[in-house]
Amino acid sequence: MITFDDVVKVYPGGGTAVDHVSLEVPTGKTTVFVGPSGCGKTTSLRMINRMISPTSGRVLIDGEDVAGQDEALLRRGIGYVIQHAGLFPHRTVLDNVATVPVLLGKTRREARAAALGLLERVGLAPEFAQRYPAQLSGGQQQRVGVARALAADPPIMLMDEPFSAVDPVVREGLHREFLRLQKDLGKTIAMVTHDIDEAIKLGDLVVIFRQGGIVAQIGTPQELLSDPADEFVAEFVGRDRGLRSLSFDTAAELPVKPVPAELVVDEAGRPLGWRTGADDVRPTGGTFTSADTLRLVADLAILSPVGIAVRVDADGKADGITPHHDLADYLAARRG
Amino acid sequence: MITYLSNNSETVLAALRQHIWLALLPVLLGFAIALPIGYLGVRFPRFYHPLVNVAGVLYSIPSLALFVFLPVVLGTKILSPINIVVALTIYTVALLARTVADGLRSVDRLITESATAMGYRRFRRLIDVELPVALPVILAGLRVATVANISLVSVGALIGVGGLGQLFTRGFQLFYLEPILVGVILSVLLAGVADLAIVLIQRAVTPWTRFQGGRA
């Protein structure tokens, strides 16, 4: 666990970057620091590995003040991923990944062998190993950056806007892989982003900073969306937060009605479409299972030609329907 | 010219040998001295501008003046090759200290920062990351310094020690064109070979630069 204990950072010349911040980054979870530029989120992140020293207050890792620890040794035990990856241009991909193990005293050979495995882990084919960073795309460089941070298997990872330098499609892919990796690895991650959607998607816990280095709210993504602490947070998490908060609940308890005759199914019971006229069958626009989110159900009901979302079982057989007014009633009842 | 060469092969070879070490020893010495000075210009930014200015002034001293002036300061004999070596070392330092500083300054802050964040201490970061990344700039400066030194050695002939330059003075004294031609051709060849050697070394030690500028 990383603990910020009443941390203040004032720069000479007057600016307060971080203003009496106290918070906890729980072990094995992803905590995202988010806020507008100049809100102190990056400064806070960098105080964890002593890239920046607090003016007052303490930063502790598992109860131990980082200020008392050797800077270089501390940093070798903390993975660091930076925007644009910050790879070493003069080293191959493999040697970039092997950097920290070599610093820790492993032979280059051992470190390279381990690095090869890590490349696979982050979804890079082995033929990238001998290339130089300049030969990679932005998304590939970012993967190498993540592999490099993971190389010494540090319990803690710091990620400073790790996905902001790539285009939205690539970012989407990196997000998926990040979540998959983190599910396997369970690192203690502190991440900085200015993108609230990224924070909500990736964070177990989200810390919203406001101008002047003040923490506006700390909570799970769901808490922030459903119960913003003030106007600033409500504004920051966005206007469609009601709809987005549906992403956190599954359709497991959503009541369904029996499949009506208007739903055309094949011989295995899989839905083909809605009969809207004598020879007019229109596609359902998709189906949901009880494991899908309520947001998907709402989306399907809106897109459906008849305003009805279709549920299927594990085999793809239609086993119930939810008209959009049933979904509305369910949400209203749940709130009450 | 062939006749001249075959009759004077020993003199010419001795002059060439002297020329090579008079030119290259200062390159090595100068490089070794310029590295820490250039680094200081980056480590302590307020030294950078004084460094650039002093280097500029040093480089603008005429070589002949320096050759004549150094024995007075060093207490060496006027004909001692040490004068040439010291003078050319001063020029090399003047040229390379700035190149080293500029090379190190050209290293992207993102790269040095990520090295620090991974746990590099300052010295090892310099050796493992900053110098290698700055190497293309530094080696470009080294080429200039080497070629400049090779041409400057000849001036030393005017005070009696000057490698191939001695062939020029002899030719002038005897109104005899051959030694002058041989001296010019060999100087140019030597400069060309040294330049090529550094280019080849650069290719071998910085293979990554071939991909730069392709995809950013």
Side-chain angles (χ1 to χ4, degrees):
Chain A
M1 186 172 67
I2 303 165
T3 313
F4 283 70
D5 177 16
D6 199 28
V7 172
V8 176
K9 179 68 190 181
V10 182
Y11 281 109
T16 301
V18 176
D19 194 359
H20 296 280
V21 165
S22 292
L23 60 88
E24 279 173 4
V25 176
T27 302
K29 297 271 170 58
T30 303
T31 302
V32 183
F33 297 176
V34 64
S37 57
C39 67
K41 56 190 192 294
T42 300
T43 306
S44 298
L45 186 83
R46 288 168 162 232
M47 288 197 275
I48 298 172
N49 70 348
R50 295 193 62 193
M51 299 282 282
I52 294 173
S53 304
T55 308
S56 72
R58 298 182 305 162
V59 178
L60 308 116
I61 295 179
D62 296 329
E64 216 181 313
D65 193 343
V66 295
Q69 301 180 37
D70 179 273
E71 284 176 329
L73 296 182
L74 172 77
R75 290 172 189 150
R76 287 172 201 173
I78 300 176
Y80 192 84
V81 184
I82 198 171
Q83 190 180 3
H84 298 290
L87 298 179
F88 300 142
H90 63 299
R91 288 201 185 145
T92 61
V93 164
L94 200 62
D95 283 338
N96 262 286
V97 177
T99 301
V100 181
V102 169
L103 279 177
L104 287 168
K106 282 238 186 339
T107 65
R108 202 160 277 280
R109 198 176 166 161
E110 283 175 299
R112 280 178 178 157
L116 209 52
L118 271 166
L119 285 184
E120 202 189 323
R121 224 148 184 180
V122 298
L124 278 177
E127 62 255 33
F128 284 101
Q130 294 311 321
R131 297 202 192 160
Y132 289 97
Q135 297 171 276
L136 306 184
S137 71
Q140 289 162 344
Q141 291 190 19
Q142 209 60 57
R143 284 165 199 265
V144 177
V146 172
R148 182 172 69 171
L150 286 170
D153 198 20
I156 297 173
M157 298 262 284
L158 307 181
M159 307 180 88
D160 187 0
E161 305 247 3
F163 307 123
S164 62
V166 293
D167 65 68
V169 177
V170 175
R171 191 181 311 146
E172 185 74 20
L174 290 172
H175 281 167
R176 266 199 306 276
E177 296 213 19
F178 171 83
L179 290 170
R180 176 182 62 80
L181 265 176
Q182 172 62 352
K183 206 171 150 201
D184 289 355
L185 300 174
K187 301 282 184 196
T188 304
I189 295 176
M191 182 191 291
V192 160
T193 179
H194 59 266
D195 177 356
I196 182 68
D197 291 322
E198 187 170 78
I200 283 171
K201 190 168 169 192
L202 303 182
D204 297 309
L205 202 62
V206 176
V207 181
I208 298 185
F209 284 77
R210 73 165 94 232
Q211 262 352 307
I214 297 162
V215 170
Q217 189 173 359
I218 303 176
T220 64
Q222 195 169 3
E223 285 165 0
L224 297 177
L225 288 169
S226 60
D227 192 15
D230 56 23
E231 201 56 32
F232 171 79
V233 175
E235 183 74 18
F236 194 75
V237 295
R239 296 205 184 279
D240 58 344
R241 62 190 169 83
L243 193 55
R244 281 192 289 157
S245 69
L246 294 180
S247 302
F248 299 102
D249 285 311
T250 68
E253 286 166 27
L254 180 70
V256 290
K257 291 200 164 97
V259 179
E262 288 79 21
L263 185 67
V264 184
V265 296
D266 65 10
E267 59 272 22
R270 290 189 290 258
L272 295 173
W274 291 101
R275 184 171 299 282
T276 49
D279 355 83
D280 194 14
V281 176
R282 299 172 64 181
T284 58
T287 57
F288 70 96
T289 69
S290 54
D292 280 319
T293 65
L294 290 177
R295 186 171 182 176
L296 177 68
V297 179
D299 198 49
L300 290 173
I302 292 164
L303 285 176
S304 161
V306 292
I308 299 172
V310 179
R311 193 176 81 175
V312 295
D313 63 15
D315 301 321
K317 183 170 174 285
D319 70 349
I321 59 152
T322 303
H324 55 59
H325 50 261
D326 282 12
L327 178 64
D329 290 345
Y330 169 70
L331 293 175
R334 208 176 54 145
R335 189 176 304 131
Chain B
M1 209 166 83
I2 306 293
T3 340
Y4 173 81
L5 266 180
S6 57
N7 290 341
N8 298 277
S9 60
E10 254 172 60
T11 322
V12 172
L13 273 181
L16 181 64
R17 265 200 302 274
Q18 191 189 40
H19 202 105
I20 291 174
W21 76 260
L22 280 180
L24 297 191
L25 182 62
V27 171
L28 295 178
L29 290 175
F31 187 43
I33 298 169
L35 272 179
I37 294 179
Y39 173 69
L40 289 179
V42 179
R43 175 78 178 80
F44 305 103
R46 65 207 161 90
F47 286 155
Y48 177 76
H49 285 290
L51 183 146
V52 169
N53 293 335
V54 171
V57 169
L58 281 178
Y59 205 73
S60 68
I61 303 173
S63 52
L64 192 55
L66 203 54
F67 292 156
V68 176
F69 177 66
L70 275 176
V72 182
V73 181
L74 301 174
T76 43
K77 294 209 176 79
I78 185 99
L79 289 180
S80 165
I82 293 175
N83 301 327
I84 311 285
V85 170
V86 173
L88 294 188
T89 301
I90 290 173
Y91 287 133
T92 307
V93 172
L95 202 74
L96 285 184
R98 180 173 182 173
T99 309
V100 169
D102 288 345
L104 290 175
R105 273 157 61 110
S106 76
V107 177
D108 193 337
R109 207 172 55 91
L110 212 59
I111 295 170
T112 48
E113 246 176 38
S114 80
T116 305
M118 271 183 288
Y120 272 100
R121 294 185 204 281
R122 199 186 288 280
F123 183 71
R124 188 155 177 198
R125 188 184 81 185
L126 177 70
I127 302 298
D128 277 10
V129 180
E130 291 170 89
L131 276 177
V133 175
L135 211 53
V137 176
I138 295 173
L139 287 178
L142 199 67
R143 282 172 69 185
V144 175
T146 305
V147 172
N149 274 5
I150 288 172
S151 77
L152 279 173
V153 167
S154 298
V155 180
L158 294 176
I159 55 159
V161 204
L164 295 168
Q166 281 156 314
L167 301 180
F168 304 159
T169 43
R170 177 162 314 169
F172 283 123
Q173 281 156 3
L174 303 175
F175 297 104
Y176 188 30
L177 190 63
E178 262 74 7
I180 298 176
L181 273 179
V182 168
V184 169
I185 291 170
L186 284 178
S187 305
V188 171
L189 271 180
L190 186 60
V193 167
D195 195 49
L196 185 68
I198 298 176
V199 171
L200 291 177
I201 290 170
Q202 177 172 358
R203 282 227 187 127
V205 297
T206 60
W208 50 278
T209 52
R210 264 170 278 164
F211 308 108
Q212 299 271 304
R215 241 194 300 202

